[in-house]
Amino acid sequence: MNSRRRFLRKIGVGSLALGLAPNLSKGMSLEKVNKPVVLSTWDFGLKANVAAWEVLAAGGRALDAVEQGVRLTEADPTERSVGYGGRPDRDGKVTLDACIMDENAGIGSVAALEHIKHPISVARAVMEKTPHVMLVGDGALQFAKEQGFPEEDLLTAESEKEWREWLKTAKYEPVVNIENHDTIGMIALDSHGNLSGACTTSGMAFKMHGRVGDSPIIGAGLYVDNEIGAATATGHGEEVIRTVGSHLVVELMRQGYAPQKACEEAVKRIVKFTHNRKKTLDNIQVGFIALNKRGEYGAYCIHGGFNYAKYDAKGNELIVSNSYLKTNG
Ligand code: ASP
């Protein structure tokens, strides 16, 4: 046996114990891990990353970092697609979706939650304090109140005005990259080498009351496998659910794909399914971001115009994602 083959065999045995064999055998480098690092969707991720980085830089847990990070966006009334100030459904109700996943495959989720500013923290409480993984609607609200979360009116004057304007035509038309929908999805690798993720949104503006998107669905809007990597999604939730998008990205990384390639494959799956269903991509935007156990990252989307924020030792920066179509929306 030549020395290279012997070396690969050694790697194979050692890395199997770590659960990393598929990646290493497909050429993943053995260089130093880039940690801590946090990634989040869209430009509002820049601010959210700062809150997450405070936790990470102090040696904190990725789970705490992602929760603290997205809480910032949830509380910001100028961000009109997440939390307080989010656009309402067609009945004028602000209904929020969120989920969280930790390094131990702990999961918690809330969907169609009203009157609570921080659905991500309610999702975490579902994970940590109940025997369940998902609560919806009134039950989620009841639980949140029992946990001491204050009940608040989340419909700001601006969102109400926009909704009243919308009522004049009452046409449900999500627009690619125009901000009538967006999500903050955040994934992080902490200094201990553990991954976690959080995802929170008010969903598609003027959706049907009761509509739930991908963002609170573990596997669709978010997935974390602490042996492999993490991924999260933004865009048309129906398409992300159809492909169980974030789980797909993580499984592709398990098979040895770099985060960038994994996001590309997942987007191509959505494109294929859309074509199979004889639908057009014109009004469908989906973006994925992914991070692996080594702190390598990537992103991809259908239409141009998607960006994401990355904070690591080199600083906080906004990165424009490559896209399947060269059109910008
Ligand atoms: N994925 C979200 C949803 O479908 C919306 C978005 O991220 O644009 O509710």
Side-chain angles (χ1 to χ4, degrees):
M1 190 195 307
N2 68 32
S3 58
R4 185 178 133 74
R5 273 173 56 199
R6 237 189 344 257
F7 172 72
L8 286 177
R9 183 167 288 184
K10 262 196 202 149
I11 296 270
V13 172
S15 56
L16 264 179
L18 294 168
L20 284 171
N23 293 314
L24 287 173
S25 65
K26 290 195 182 173
M28 192 182 246
S29 81
L30 291 172
E31 283 161 27
K32 202 169 159 274
V33 176
N34 174 33
K35 66 180 181 178
V37 53
V38 56
L39 296 186
S40 54
T41 53
W42 302 109
D43 52 2
F44 46 45
L46 280 173
K47 274 199 232 161
N49 277 2
V50 173
W53 186 257
E54 261 179 44
V55 177
L56 293 172
R61 193 175 165 201
L63 182 73
D64 294 321
V66 294
E67 182 190 9
Q68 290 310 315
V70 304
R71 275 176 64 96
L72 208 91
T73 321
E74 287 181 335
D76 185 345
T78 66
E79 298 304 352
R80 313 283 310 289
S81 54
V82 178
Y84 174 53
R87 291 183 183 80
D89 64 18
R90 68 182 189 184
D91 297 347
K93 295 177 170 148
V94 179
T95 66
L96 304 177
D97 294 342
C99 74
I100 196 157
M101 185 159 186
D102 73 10
E103 71 275 24
N104 303 313
I107 54 175
S109 158
V110 289
L113 174 62
E114 292 181 58
H115 308 303
I116 303 289
K117 196 184 262 174
H118 289 298
I120 199 65
S121 298
V122 185
R124 182 167 178 173
V126 171
M127 172 172 87
E128 292 177 340
K129 298 184 177 159
T130 79
H132 307 304
V133 298
M134 186 169 198
L135 293 175
V136 305
D138 287 348
L141 176 60
Q142 186 186 325
F143 170 70
K145 288 198 290 189
E146 281 163 15
Q147 291 296 313
F149 289 88
E151 216 175 338
E152 294 172 66
D153 182 5
L154 303 181
L155 186 65
T156 54
E158 240 182 87
S159 281
E160 184 172 1
K161 192 169 150 221
E162 225 182 285
W163 169 63
R164 294 206 180 278
E165 196 52 39
W166 175 82
L167 280 176
K168 292 181 186 160
T169 52
K171 254 175 125 187
Y172 179 71
E173 267 179 349
V175 189
V176 169
N177 293 335
I178 306 292
E179 307 227 343
N180 65 357
H181 57 90
D182 275 343
T183 295
I184 183 149
M186 179 178 271
I187 46 184
L189 178 69
D190 64 27
S191 54
H192 312 284
N194 288 321
L195 291 155
S196 289
C199 186
T200 177
T201 188
S202 51
M204 309 303 271
F206 319 129
K207 60 194 176 184
M208 289 172 71
H209 184 59
R211 179 265 188 188
V212 173
D214 60 314
S215 307
I217 312 281
I218 294 290
L222 174 73
Y223 200 70
V224 177
D225 182 328
N226 203 40
E227 287 184 348
I228 304 296
T232 186
T234 179
H236 289 76
E238 284 74 8
E239 308 316 314
V240 180
I241 293 172
R242 209 183 305 284
T243 50
V244 199
S246 294
H247 184 259
L248 175 59
V249 172
V250 172
E251 283 304 300
L252 287 163
M253 290 195 283
R254 184 191 301 282
Q255 290 168 29
Y257 285 74
Q260 177 62 36
K261 283 280 165 221
C263 292
E264 290 174 17
E265 281 304 309
V267 162
K268 285 183 199 157
R269 187 78 55 90
I270 293 179
V271 169
K272 188 170 90 177
F273 280 18
T274 306
H275 289 151
N276 289 351
R277 296 169 61 244
K278 313 241 177 307
K279 306 274 184 201
T280 140
L281 289 171
D282 288 357
N283 284 316
I284 298 179
Q285 170 68 312
V286 171
F288 290 108
I289 59 173
L291 176 65
N292 70 13
K293 192 70 178 164
R294 307 198 59 79
E296 297 159 337
Y297 54 88
Y300 204 59
C301 56
I302 300 176
H303 295 267
F306 170 53
N307 51 31
Y308 65 105
K310 183 239 7 164
Y311 203 153
D312 61 9
K314 292 191 198 125
N316 196 12
E317 64 173 315
L318 192 66
I319 303 172
V320 174
S321 166
N322 285 336
S323 56
Y324 177 81
L325 298 171
K326 297 308 157 207
T327 47
N328 204 335

